Every structure is written in C-alpha cells, then in structure tokens.
Amino acid sequence: MSVLFETTALVLSWRPYREHDRSYSAFTRDHGKIEFVARGGSKPLAKLTPHLETMAEVRLLLVDGRQYFTVAGTDRLRGFRSVYENLTKTTLVQNAFAFVDLGTRTHELDEDLYDFLMNWLEFIEKIPEITAERAGFLLATFALKFLSHLGYHPELSHCLVCRLAVREGNYRWHALKGGVVCATCFDKDREQWFAARLIDDVTLKLLRFALTQEFKEQLRPHLSGNTLAAFHETIESLIIAHFPVIPAVSMREACKHL
Ligand SMILES: [Zn+2]
C-alpha cells in the first residue's frame, strides 16, 4: 500500500530518469536527504517542476511507493529571487548543493545541515555583485565548512603530532592526515610525512578565517592570486583525501567563467 506524506525540502539536484521522468535529490529538515521521482506521464511535469528548483524552499507531497518516492504535489514556501535571476548566484547555489548531494547519504537526519544550507541560500540571496575570484573563494569556503560538518575538520592551529601551537612559517600541510605538522615533528619522521607540503602563513590564516567566520564575513578578506591558488589547492586536497566522491568540476573551475 502506498502512503502519502508531506515534508519541507531544499532541492539539491535532479537528473533525467527513464524517458519522461526526473529523479530528484532533496534535503529535508525531518528526514535528511531523500530521493524521489517526478513522473512525466501521470501528472504533467510542467506543473510540478517550476517549484522543484534549487533556489527555493518547497513543500513536497510524496507517495511512499514500494521502490521509491514519487512526488504528487509541490508548493513553493520561500523563493530566492535574486539567486534565481543572477547567474553567479545560481552557480554558487547549484554547485554547493550538488556537492552536498555527493557527500550525504539518504535518510540520515541532520537538522544542523538543513540550517547550514538555508544559511547559505540566505547569504547568497543578499550578496552584491562579486568577481569570479570571490565566487570561487565563497564556494571553496562552503566546501571547507561542509567537510568540517561531516567530521573532516582540519587542524589548522596545532601540530597534529606534538599538539603545540604552530609558529609562523614553521609547518607543513598534510591533506590525508587532515592538518598541519610542525617543522620539528616533520624532521623527526620525514618518511611518515613525505606528502606534507609547505604552506605559507597568509594561506593558513585565510583557511582559518574561512573555517571559523560566518559566511557574511567572507566578503572581506583581500584575495591575492597566489594565496587564492594555494587556498584552493589546500581545500581540493582535503576533498580528494576525504570526500566519498570527487566532484567532476572543482570549485575553482565552476566559477571561472562567471
Ligand atoms: Zn609538532
């Protein structure tokens, strides 16, 4: 027997499914991530899909069938018009949400993550026109915070081995071990730390800032070319080392042509 239920969700992504249908992934406050199908045959997709974009909080009426959920009705609860109308903002939300889709499993309740996604939408809705560099920086910052939320919080202040606070210019970054190692510990066991690479003070400070400060503060840091490149490389190395799937497009690439 099929059961109808209602939930509030943010659509993470969608893809064509079978010939006329679409398969959706959405994050809900009360069920975590869910997947459902919008049928093209029974009810015209055109009636359902305008609300099923990544730029809105929607109410979903779902049919819990044997094999999968099917959407029977949708209602837009809150639209984010500025995100919808601006290519940079749309890119930022779609890429961030696609990243979350890759990093989460279905039916794992996580209200904090729902709030985090809502927070991101609200932030992006309000930002002024930004450069492609800033957009890439914001997206990478989102990825860093999300990784931290998943449990891959990088250690950026204390040496992973001796736990002493790292001194300026005297440490290396190791993505797989998830943090920095001081020069003394590195020298003691170079074989163990052979993959650790130098990272400069400005980049480390920017990483700490991105990790600890709210989204709205991320419009402030000055972004110089070299630092920004090192910032992206560090976060990409963290994604490669810890994320279940490596996104097809990097945060940098996604924003390159904006
Ligand atoms: Zn140490």
PDB file of all heavy atoms in Angstrom, residues 181-201:
ATOM      1  N   VAL A 181      51.609  20.005  10.394  1.00  0.00           N
ATOM      2  CA  VAL A 181      52.638  19.369  11.226  1.00  0.00           C
ATOM      3  C   VAL A 181      53.783  20.371  11.376  1.00  0.00           C
ATOM      4  O   VAL A 181      54.124  21.069  10.414  1.00  0.00           O
ATOM      5  CB  VAL A 181      53.118  18.034  10.590  1.00  0.00           C
ATOM      6  CG1 VAL A 181      53.679  18.260   9.176  1.00  0.00           C
ATOM      7  CG2 VAL A 181      54.149  17.335  11.458  1.00  0.00           C
ATOM      8  N   CYS A 182      54.335  20.484  12.578  1.00  0.00           N
ATOM      9  CA  CYS A 182      55.405  21.481  12.793  1.00  0.00           C
ATOM     10  C   CYS A 182      56.721  20.967  12.193  1.00  0.00           C
ATOM     11  O   CYS A 182      56.884  19.775  11.933  1.00  0.00           O
ATOM     12  CB  CYS A 182      55.550  21.815  14.277  1.00  0.00           C
ATOM     13  SG  CYS A 182      56.386  20.552  15.245  1.00  0.00           S
ATOM     14  N   ALA A 183      57.656  21.885  12.004  1.00  0.00           N
ATOM     15  CA  ALA A 183      58.935  21.549  11.360  1.00  0.00           C
ATOM     16  C   ALA A 183      59.702  20.509  12.172  1.00  0.00           C
ATOM     17  O   ALA A 183      60.323  19.600  11.602  1.00  0.00           O
ATOM     18  CB  ALA A 183      59.763  22.810  11.176  1.00  0.00           C
ATOM     19  N   THR A 184      59.642  20.592  13.484  1.00  0.00           N
ATOM     20  CA  THR A 184      60.371  19.655  14.348  1.00  0.00           C
ATOM     21  C   THR A 184      59.847  18.234  14.165  1.00  0.00           C
ATOM     22  O   THR A 184      60.619  17.291  13.960  1.00  0.00           O
ATOM     23  CB  THR A 184      60.221  20.069  15.832  1.00  0.00           C
ATOM     24  OG1 THR A 184      60.458  21.478  15.932  1.00  0.00           O
ATOM     25  CG2 THR A 184      61.173  19.321  16.724  1.00  0.00           C
ATOM     26  N   CYS A 185      58.530  18.080  14.226  1.00  0.00           N
ATOM     27  CA  CYS A 185      57.937  16.740  14.069  1.00  0.00           C
ATOM     28  C   CYS A 185      58.143  16.213  12.649  1.00  0.00           C
ATOM     29  O   CYS A 185      58.338  15.022  12.448  1.00  0.00           O
ATOM     30  CB  CYS A 185      56.452  16.777  14.419  1.00  0.00           C
ATOM     31  SG  CYS A 185      56.147  17.119  16.158  1.00  0.00           S
ATOM     32  N   PHE A 186      58.100  17.130  11.681  1.00  0.00           N
ATOM     33  CA  PHE A 186      58.341  16.740  10.289  1.00  0.00           C
ATOM     34  C   PHE A 186      59.755  16.185  10.139  1.00  0.00           C
ATOM     35  O   PHE A 186      59.968  15.133   9.530  1.00  0.00           O
ATOM     36  CB  PHE A 186      58.128  17.936   9.358  1.00  0.00           C
ATOM     37  CG  PHE A 186      58.489  17.671   7.925  1.00  0.00           C
ATOM     38  CD1 PHE A 186      57.642  16.941   7.101  1.00  0.00           C
ATOM     39  CD2 PHE A 186      59.690  18.141   7.400  1.00  0.00           C
ATOM     40  CE1 PHE A 186      57.981  16.685   5.779  1.00  0.00           C
ATOM     41  CE2 PHE A 186      60.039  17.889   6.076  1.00  0.00           C
ATOM     42  CZ  PHE A 186      59.183  17.159   5.262  1.00  0.00           C
ATOM     43  N   ASP A 187      60.734  16.870  10.725  1.00  0.00           N
ATOM     44  CA  ASP A 187      62.128  16.441  10.628  1.00  0.00           C
ATOM     45  C   ASP A 187      62.386  15.114  11.335  1.00  0.00           C
ATOM     46  O   ASP A 187      63.237  14.334  10.913  1.00  0.00           O
ATOM     47  CB  ASP A 187      63.053  17.522  11.207  1.00  0.00           C
ATOM     48  CG  ASP A 187      63.280  18.645  10.204  1.00  0.00           C
ATOM     49  OD1 ASP A 187      63.201  18.357   8.986  1.00  0.00           O
ATOM     50  OD2 ASP A 187      63.503  19.799  10.627  1.00  0.00           O
ATOM     51  N   LYS A 188      61.647  14.859  12.394  1.00  0.00           N
ATOM     52  CA  LYS A 188      61.833  13.619  13.157  1.00  0.00           C
ATOM     53  C   LYS A 188      61.398  12.386  12.382  1.00  0.00           C
ATOM     54  O   LYS A 188      61.871  11.291  12.629  1.00  0.00           O
ATOM     55  CB  LYS A 188      61.015  13.697  14.458  1.00  0.00           C
ATOM     56  CG  LYS A 188      61.770  14.313  15.617  1.00  0.00           C
ATOM     57  CD  LYS A 188      60.941  14.155  16.887  1.00  0.00           C
ATOM     58  CE  LYS A 188      61.347  15.208  17.913  1.00  0.00           C
ATOM     59  NZ  LYS A 188      60.295  15.437  18.903  1.00  0.00           N
ATOM     60  N   ASP A 189      60.409  12.563  11.503  1.00  0.00           N
ATOM     61  CA  ASP A 189      59.880  11.409  10.783  1.00  0.00           C
ATOM     62  C   ASP A 189      59.478  11.789   9.354  1.00  0.00           C
ATOM     63  O   ASP A 189      58.307  11.820   8.996  1.00  0.00           O
ATOM     64  CB  ASP A 189      58.665  10.858  11.548  1.00  0.00           C
ATOM     65  CG  ASP A 189      58.290   9.454  11.075  1.00  0.00           C
ATOM     66  OD1 ASP A 189      58.858   8.993  10.060  1.00  0.00           O
ATOM     67  OD2 ASP A 189      57.423   8.837  11.704  1.00  0.00           O
ATOM     68  N   ARG A 190      60.477  12.077   8.563  1.00  0.00           N
ATOM     69  CA  ARG A 190      60.225  12.540   7.199  1.00  0.00           C
ATOM     70  C   ARG A 190      59.530  11.495   6.345  1.00  0.00           C
ATOM     71  O   ARG A 190      58.798  11.824   5.419  1.00  0.00           O
ATOM     72  CB  ARG A 190      61.534  12.948   6.534  1.00  0.00           C
ATOM     73  CG  ARG A 190      62.011  14.288   7.035  1.00  0.00           C
ATOM     74  CD  ARG A 190      63.238  14.736   6.270  1.00  0.00           C
ATOM     75  NE  ARG A 190      63.607  16.067   6.712  1.00  0.00           N
ATOM     76  CZ  ARG A 190      63.686  17.125   5.920  1.00  0.00           C
ATOM     77  NH1 ARG A 190      63.441  16.998   4.631  1.00  0.00           N
ATOM     78  NH2 ARG A 190      64.027  18.298   6.396  1.00  0.00           N
ATOM     79  N   GLU A 191      59.767  10.246   6.621  1.00  0.00           N
ATOM     80  CA  GLU A 191      59.167   9.176   5.828  1.00  0.00           C
ATOM     81  C   GLU A 191      57.651   9.186   5.998  1.00  0.00           C
ATOM     82  O   GLU A 191      56.896   9.103   5.033  1.00  0.00           O
ATOM     83  CB  GLU A 191      59.725   7.836   6.308  1.00  0.00           C
ATOM     84  CG  GLU A 191      59.822   6.812   5.201  1.00  0.00           C
ATOM     85  CD  GLU A 191      60.620   5.620   5.668  1.00  0.00           C
ATOM     86  OE1 GLU A 191      61.840   5.777   5.928  1.00  0.00           O
ATOM     87  OE2 GLU A 191      60.000   4.554   5.798  1.00  0.00           O
ATOM     88  N   GLN A 192      57.229   9.303   7.247  1.00  0.00           N
ATOM     89  CA  GLN A 192      55.810   9.356   7.583  1.00  0.00           C
ATOM     90  C   GLN A 192      55.108  10.566   6.961  1.00  0.00           C
ATOM     91  O   GLN A 192      53.964  10.497   6.555  1.00  0.00           O
ATOM     92  CB  GLN A 192      55.724   9.404   9.120  1.00  0.00           C
ATOM     93  CG  GLN A 192      54.432   9.887   9.684  1.00  0.00           C
ATOM     94  CD  GLN A 192      53.506   8.726  10.013  1.00  0.00           C
ATOM     95  OE1 GLN A 192      53.155   7.953   9.152  1.00  0.00           O
ATOM     96  NE2 GLN A 192      53.135   8.618  11.263  1.00  0.00           N
ATOM     97  N   TRP A 193      55.859  11.671   6.881  1.00  0.00           N
ATOM     98  CA  TRP A 193      55.263  12.937   6.446  1.00  0.00           C
ATOM     99  C   TRP A 193      55.705  13.374   5.054  1.00  0.00           C
ATOM    100  O   TRP A 193      55.619  14.546   4.725  1.00  0.00           O
ATOM    101  CB  TRP A 193      55.608  14.040   7.472  1.00  0.00           C
ATOM    102  CG  TRP A 193      54.970  13.777   8.797  1.00  0.00           C
ATOM    103  CD1 TRP A 193      55.534  13.155   9.868  1.00  0.00           C
ATOM    104  CD2 TRP A 193      53.625  14.094   9.173  1.00  0.00           C
ATOM    105  NE1 TRP A 193      54.633  13.057  10.897  1.00  0.00           N
ATOM    106  CE2 TRP A 193      53.443  13.641  10.500  1.00  0.00           C
ATOM    107  CE3 TRP A 193      52.554  14.723   8.532  1.00  0.00           C
ATOM    108  CZ2 TRP A 193      52.249  13.787  11.188  1.00  0.00           C
ATOM    109  CZ3 TRP A 193      51.364  14.869   9.220  1.00  0.00           C
ATOM    110  CH2 TRP A 193      51.215  14.402  10.535  1.00  0.00           C
ATOM    111  N   PHE A 194      56.170  12.395   4.257  1.00  0.00           N
ATOM    112  CA  PHE A 194      56.750  12.796   2.963  1.00  0.00           C
ATOM    113  C   PHE A 194      55.766  13.569   2.077  1.00  0.00           C
ATOM    114  O   PHE A 194      56.167  14.396   1.269  1.00  0.00           O
ATOM    115  CB  PHE A 194      57.299  11.565   2.214  1.00  0.00           C
ATOM    116  CG  PHE A 194      56.233  10.731   1.559  1.00  0.00           C
ATOM    117  CD1 PHE A 194      55.931  10.901   0.213  1.00  0.00           C
ATOM    118  CD2 PHE A 194      55.536   9.786   2.282  1.00  0.00           C
ATOM    119  CE1 PHE A 194      54.932  10.148  -0.397  1.00  0.00           C
ATOM    120  CE2 PHE A 194      54.536   9.032   1.689  1.00  0.00           C
ATOM    121  CZ  PHE A 194      54.228   9.211   0.361  1.00  0.00           C
ATOM    122  N   ALA A 195      54.463  13.332   2.250  1.00  0.00           N
ATOM    123  CA  ALA A 195      53.479  14.018   1.403  1.00  0.00           C
ATOM    124  C   ALA A 195      53.132  15.419   1.904  1.00  0.00           C
ATOM    125  O   ALA A 195      52.406  16.159   1.240  1.00  0.00           O
ATOM    126  CB  ALA A 195      52.210  13.179   1.292  1.00  0.00           C
ATOM    127  N   ALA A 196      53.643  15.770   3.085  1.00  0.00           N
ATOM    128  CA  ALA A 196      53.332  17.096   3.637  1.00  0.00           C
ATOM    129  C   ALA A 196      54.002  18.175   2.794  1.00  0.00           C
ATOM    130  O   ALA A 196      55.150  18.032   2.401  1.00  0.00           O
ATOM    131  CB  ALA A 196      53.814  17.179   5.080  1.00  0.00           C
ATOM    132  N   ARG A 197      53.268  19.231   2.510  1.00  0.00           N
ATOM    133  CA  ARG A 197      53.867  20.277   1.683  1.00  0.00           C
ATOM    134  C   ARG A 197      53.790  21.637   2.380  1.00  0.00           C
ATOM    135  O   ARG A 197      52.916  21.878   3.223  1.00  0.00           O
ATOM    136  CB  ARG A 197      53.216  20.330   0.311  1.00  0.00           C
ATOM    137  CG  ARG A 197      51.754  20.629   0.342  1.00  0.00           C
ATOM    138  CD  ARG A 197      51.235  20.822  -1.077  1.00  0.00           C
ATOM    139  NE  ARG A 197      49.834  21.186  -1.049  1.00  0.00           N
ATOM    140  CZ  ARG A 197      49.385  22.398  -0.755  1.00  0.00           C
ATOM    141  NH1 ARG A 197      50.222  23.379  -0.456  1.00  0.00           N
ATOM    142  NH2 ARG A 197      48.083  22.661  -0.751  1.00  0.00           N
ATOM    143  N   LEU A 198      54.722  22.492   1.990  1.00  0.00           N
ATOM    144  CA  LEU A 198      54.793  23.804   2.629  1.00  0.00           C
ATOM    145  C   LEU A 198      53.550  24.623   2.306  1.00  0.00           C
ATOM    146  O   LEU A 198      53.006  24.541   1.205  1.00  0.00           O
ATOM    147  CB  LEU A 198      56.041  24.554   2.147  1.00  0.00           C
ATOM    148  CG  LEU A 198      57.370  23.994   2.672  1.00  0.00           C
ATOM    149  CD1 LEU A 198      58.528  24.547   1.856  1.00  0.00           C
ATOM    150  CD2 LEU A 198      57.531  24.310   4.153  1.00  0.00           C
ATOM    151  N   ILE A 199      53.139  25.367   3.279  1.00  0.00           N
ATOM    152  CA  ILE A 199      52.002  26.251   3.079  1.00  0.00           C
ATOM    153  C   ILE A 199      52.355  27.550   3.816  1.00  0.00           C
ATOM    154  O   ILE A 199      52.902  27.504   4.906  1.00  0.00           O
ATOM    155  CB  ILE A 199      50.702  25.576   3.589  1.00  0.00           C
ATOM    156  CG1 ILE A 199      49.511  26.518   3.558  1.00  0.00           C
ATOM    157  CG2 ILE A 199      50.846  24.994   4.963  1.00  0.00           C
ATOM    158  CD1 ILE A 199      48.192  25.819   3.923  1.00  0.00           C
ATOM    159  N   ASP A 200      52.082  28.691   3.175  1.00  0.00           N
ATOM    160  CA  ASP A 200      52.552  29.939   3.803  1.00  0.00           C
ATOM    161  C   ASP A 200      51.540  30.490   4.818  1.00  0.00           C
ATOM    162  O   ASP A 200      50.393  30.068   4.874  1.00  0.00           O
ATOM    163  CB  ASP A 200      52.875  30.983   2.730  1.00  0.00           C
ATOM    164  CG  ASP A 200      51.644  31.367   1.953  1.00  0.00           C
ATOM    165  OD1 ASP A 200      50.908  32.258   2.403  1.00  0.00           O
ATOM    166  OD2 ASP A 200      51.395  30.739   0.897  1.00  0.00           O
ATOM    167  N   ASP A 201      52.028  31.444   5.605  1.00  0.00           N
ATOM    168  CA  ASP A 201      51.220  31.985   6.711  1.00  0.00           C
ATOM    169  C   ASP A 201      49.921  32.633   6.243  1.00  0.00           C
ATOM    170  O   ASP A 201      48.884  32.475   6.873  1.00  0.00           O
ATOM    171  CB  ASP A 201      52.033  33.021   7.501  1.00  0.00           C
ATOM    172  CG  ASP A 201      53.259  32.407   8.146  1.00  0.00           C
ATOM    173  OD1 ASP A 201      53.162  31.235   8.547  1.00  0.00           O
ATOM    174  OD2 ASP A 201      54.284  33.091   8.237  1.00  0.00           O
TER     175      ASP A 201
END
